[in-house]
């Protein structure tokens, strides 16, 4: 069963490189970015985790914790973190779940479809996770899901941009236009008429009756 936007993120307990966690408790009052990568000691994943290592301060600024998931063991992940630090030039200061049991991978439907084929003919790649991302809000609801194929490394700048957009719009009658970046104007929900929109957000720029821009509320 796939995990969809607005679902409550499935809770789990797991061993990680930073010790055991209970996921919802670990998230606490902030946001979480849960992301899987297919295998330890593989080239694309090493570059991805190196990028995450460099971005940890950006996630922290946004009150977001990052948690990697891989189907390898804690021992492997601890060794792999040395390679990641060498590539990134900074320590990999975030937890990675030991998902050798596939518990988390199955719970979040992170495995490729072929995983469900009969065991005959299954290769190690079939139990490797695909590259998924889940952004989870403090209310533990899933706000974003992404899945990339094994051959394509993710753009973590986009994940931060999406997190900014989620935080800017959470609980407010606004949304962000295509390619929005922090500091740019946002779109007022059509549930507010012009008068209500200006009373709440100040002066509007009305491009179309249903496309009305206002200044974005401050986030970071
Ligand atoms: C990678 O480069 O990240 C990768 C390569 C083969 C299998 C899984 C991951």
């Amino acid at each position: 069963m796939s995990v969809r936007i607005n679902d409550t993120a499935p809770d789990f307990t797991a061993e990680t490189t930073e010790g055991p966690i209970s996921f919802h408790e670990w998230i606490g009052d902030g946001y979480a970015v849960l992301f899987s990568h297919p295998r330890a000691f593989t080239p694309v994943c090493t570059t991805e985790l190196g990028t995450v290592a460099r971005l940890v301060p950006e996630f922290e600024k946004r009150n977001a914790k990052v948690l990697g998931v891989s189907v390898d063991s804690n021992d492997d992940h601890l060794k792999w973190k040395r390679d990641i630090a060498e590539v990134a030039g900074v320590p990999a200061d975030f937890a990675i779940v030991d998902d050798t049991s596939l518990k988390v991978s199955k719970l979040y439907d992170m495995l490729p479809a072929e995983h469900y084929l009969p065991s005959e003919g299954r290769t190690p790649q079939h139990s490797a996770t695909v590259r998924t991302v889940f952004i989870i809000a403090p209310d533990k609801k899933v706000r974003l899901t992404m899945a990339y194929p094994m051959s394509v490394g993710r753009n973590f700048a986009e994940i931060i941009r999406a997190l900014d957009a989620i935080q800017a719009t959470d609980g407010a009658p606004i949304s962000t236009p295509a390619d929005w970046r922090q500091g740019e104007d946002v779109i007022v929900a059509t549930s507010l008429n012009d008068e209500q929109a200006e009373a709440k957000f100040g002066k509007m720029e009305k491009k179309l009756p249903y496309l009305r821009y206002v200044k974005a509320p401050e986030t970071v």
Side-chain angles (χ1 to χ4, degrees):
M1 176 70 189
S2 64
V3 176
R4 289 173 295 198
I5 286 181
N6 291 337
D7 284 351
T8 298
D11 199 10
F12 58 85
T13 53
E15 280 303 322
T16 79
T17 49
E18 317 301 306
I21 63 161
S22 185
F23 187 50
H24 282 195
E25 196 182 303
W26 176 87
I27 296 174
D29 296 332
Y31 286 77
V33 179
L34 177 70
F35 66 103
S36 64
H37 38 269
R39 285 322 284 245
F41 305 110
T42 53
V44 177
C45 296
T46 302
T47 63
E48 288 192 315
L49 271 67
T51 298
V52 173
R54 284 194 300 273
L55 288 173
V56 163
E58 290 301 318
F59 286 110
E60 282 174 354
K61 262 200 247 172
R62 291 158 173 85
N63 194 23
K65 290 177 172 176
V66 285
L67 182 63
V69 177
S70 176
V71 298
D72 302 290
S73 69
N74 241 350
D75 277 356
D76 277 344
H77 293 154
L78 289 167
K79 284 185 204 133
W80 186 31
K81 275 188 170 206
R82 288 186 224 137
D83 292 351
I84 295 163
E86 193 181 317
V87 168
V90 295
D93 279 338
F94 57 89
I96 304 176
V97 169
D98 170 338
D99 198 32
T100 37
S101 67
L102 302 184
K103 181 172 85 175
V104 178
S105 307
K106 285 181 179 169
L107 198 58
Y108 278 78
D109 203 19
M110 293 167 167
L111 293 160
E114 291 79 5
H115 169 73
Y116 300 104
L117 288 173
S119 55
E120 197 182 320
R122 193 182 290 169
T123 71
Q125 288 217 335
H126 293 132
S127 56
T129 57
V130 290
R131 301 182 196 283
T132 63
V133 180
F134 298 87
I135 296 183
I136 297 154
D139 61 3
K140 314 299 180 283
K141 300 279 187 204
V142 173
R143 288 287 198 280
L144 173 145
T145 66
M146 264 174 49
Y148 273 44
M150 296 231 281
S151 56
V152 180
R154 284 159 285 193
N155 181 338
F156 285 87
E158 165 57 13
I159 293 166
I160 290 201
R161 190 201 71 83
L163 178 61
D164 284 340
I166 288 165
Q167 292 184 336
T169 57
D170 256 358
I174 52 174
S175 48
T176 59
D179 303 326
W180 178 87
R181 293 194 168 274
Q182 234 177 26
E184 294 177 1
D185 290 353
V186 296
I187 296 169
V188 187
T190 49
S191 56
L192 300 185
N193 64 31
D194 288 357
E195 209 172 51
Q196 290 165 326
E198 291 207 319
K200 195 164 176 62
F201 297 107
K203 198 170 160 23
M204 280 186 322
E205 189 192 349
K206 197 169 173 179
K207 297 265 190 202
L208 294 167
Y210 55 86
L211 177 57
R212 301 163 303 162
Y213 287 90
V214 292
K215 294 274 162 251
E218 290 301 314
T219 47
V220 178

